[in-house]
């Protein structure tokens, strides 16, 4: 027996990031772990920070996302 009523509830949110938070998040991922850079880590870190600063000189970024929650009711 399936769900009788299903709704999608959107929750728009704004995440605020500064350069330190962006870099910390990046290095916490498996594809950009610090150990993968070996002797090129310092050069990458410096270039990434410079590029982010060039994109937004104040160093702050907004990430607007919407989380969609699917809710279903099952009646007996």
């Amino acid at each position: 027996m399936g769900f009788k009523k299903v709704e999608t509830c959107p929750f728009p949110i704004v995440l605020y990031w500064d350069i330190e938070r962006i870099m910390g998040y990046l290095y916490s991922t498996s594809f950009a772990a610090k150990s993968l850079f070996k002797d090129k880590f310092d050069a990458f870190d410096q270039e990434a920070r410079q590029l982010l600063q060039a994109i937004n000189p104040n160093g702050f970024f907004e990430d607007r996302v919407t989380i969609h929650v699917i809710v279903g009711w099952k009646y007996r």
Side-chain angles (χ1 to χ4, degrees):
M1 190 170 203
F3 292 95
K4 300 292 183 188
K5 182 179 178 184
V6 177
E7 292 180 8
T8 300
C9 304
F11 293 93
I13 60 172
V14 179
L15 302 172
Y16 297 97
W17 299 79
D18 62 15
I19 292 175
E20 287 303 314
R21 180 176 264 183
I22 292 170
M23 298 307 291
Y25 171 76
L26 178 66
Y27 296 139
S28 73
T29 65
S30 61
F31 62 84
K34 290 180 180 182
S35 60
L36 299 174
F37 292 96
K38 301 189 186 209
D39 62 335
K40 297 180 181 181
F41 173 77
D42 290 336
F44 172 82
D45 186 77
Q46 183 179 10
E47 184 176 350
R49 290 172 187 275
Q50 287 172 347
L51 289 170
L52 288 167
Q53 195 75 41
I55 292 168
N56 193 350
N58 73 14
F60 292 97
F61 301 85
E62 287 186 8
D63 186 11
R64 296 179 181 274
V65 297
T66 300
I67 296 172
H68 296 273
V69 176
I70 300 172
V71 181
W73 289 265
K74 191 169 189 175
Y75 302 100
R76 295 179 190 233

